[in-house]
Amino acid sequence: MPYRKVEEYNIQITDDVRERYKNIIKDLGEDTERDGLLKTPERAAKAMQFLTQGYHQDPIKVLKSAMFKESYNEMVIVKDIELYSLCEHHLLPFFGKAHIAYIPNGHIVGLSKLPRIVDIFSRRLQVQERLTEQILDCINDTLKPQGVAVVIEASHMCMMMRGVQKQNSITTTSGFRGQFEKIETRNEFLKLIGK
């Protein structure tokens, strides 16, 4: 039996976005009937649905699904979480790594849920500054820890492929709540993630 990948997409949205992509490709001067482009509008429509699936996911539910009572009250860090998002200004990708820490306050969360939160907020049209704050606030408001820290380092294709065309620039954003607003705790976190 041949390999078959199964993906589910909203048919109405796929059809609508496919037609829009077909018209955009035509307006740019390409032949949408040429062999290599015949299925491109549909593939692009499905790709955009995949890349923006975070709008249909609830990050609070994800965190609450794996919260456990625990007396541990030292720093928990998950670092080097890959992230891929779309810049809302040009619809071009930005990608990099997120580093998250929290200090529990009676509850811990399943470690895989922190990368899931990054994915949910990344899979929306974004700016890196808002993405950092959304991850930070979601963890802080849901888990209610003693403190939360988030650092994101990313490369933006809108700066690399167009505009200033700077290939090696990295944008770093950070946010701190609670105990991480204290310089000693913040410095410990930054040292542990190697920054």
Side-chain angles (χ1 to χ4, degrees), residues 96-112:
K97 294 179 179 179
H99 314 286
I100 299 173
Y102 74 98
I103 300 172
N105 189 21
H107 288 88
I108 60 170
V109 67
L111 294 176
S112 69

Side-chain angles (χ1 to χ4, degrees), residues 3-15:
Y3 169 77
R4 184 168 168 253
K5 184 175 182 182
V6 178
E7 294 177 335
E8 291 186 26
Y9 296 98
N10 181 305
I11 294 169
Q12 184 177 346
I13 291 173
T14 302
D15 290 345

Side-chain angles (χ1 to χ4, degrees), residues 139-192:
I139 296 166
N140 192 56
D141 296 347
T142 307
L143 196 54
K144 301 194 184 323
Q146 295 179 55
V148 184
V150 176
V151 171
I152 295 178
E153 304 167 292
S155 298
H156 293 250
M157 297 306 280
C158 58
M159 285 180 58
M160 297 167 74
M161 290 180 69
R162 56 161 305 284
V164 296
Q165 298 181 46
K166 299 302 176 202
Q167 305 306 306
N168 299 308
S169 63
I170 302 286
T171 300
T172 302
T173 50
S174 62
F176 305 96
R177 297 286 188 274
Q179 291 296 318
F180 287 96
E181 293 175 283
K182 295 179 180 176
I183 196 70
E184 318 83 57
T185 312
R186 183 183 306 191
N187 284 345
E188 180 184 350
F189 165 65
L190 294 173
K191 182 179 177 185
L192 289 169

Side-chain angles (χ1 to χ4, degrees), residues 98-150:
H99 314 286
I100 299 173
Y102 74 98
I103 300 172
N105 189 21
H107 288 88
I108 60 170
V109 67
L111 294 176
S112 69
K113 301 310 176 195
L114 298 176
R116 293 263 326 266
I117 297 306
V118 171
D119 284 347
I120 289 170
F121 286 116
S122 296
R123 297 298 189 193
R124 301 174 181 190
L125 302 182
Q126 279 290 9
V127 293
Q128 184 174 329
E129 297 87 343
R130 183 188 321 117
L131 175 60
T132 304
E133 196 164 76
Q134 287 176 332
I135 295 166
L136 184 74
D137 289 341
C138 180
I139 296 166
N140 192 56
D141 296 347
T142 307
L143 196 54
K144 301 194 184 323
Q146 295 179 55
V148 184
V150 176

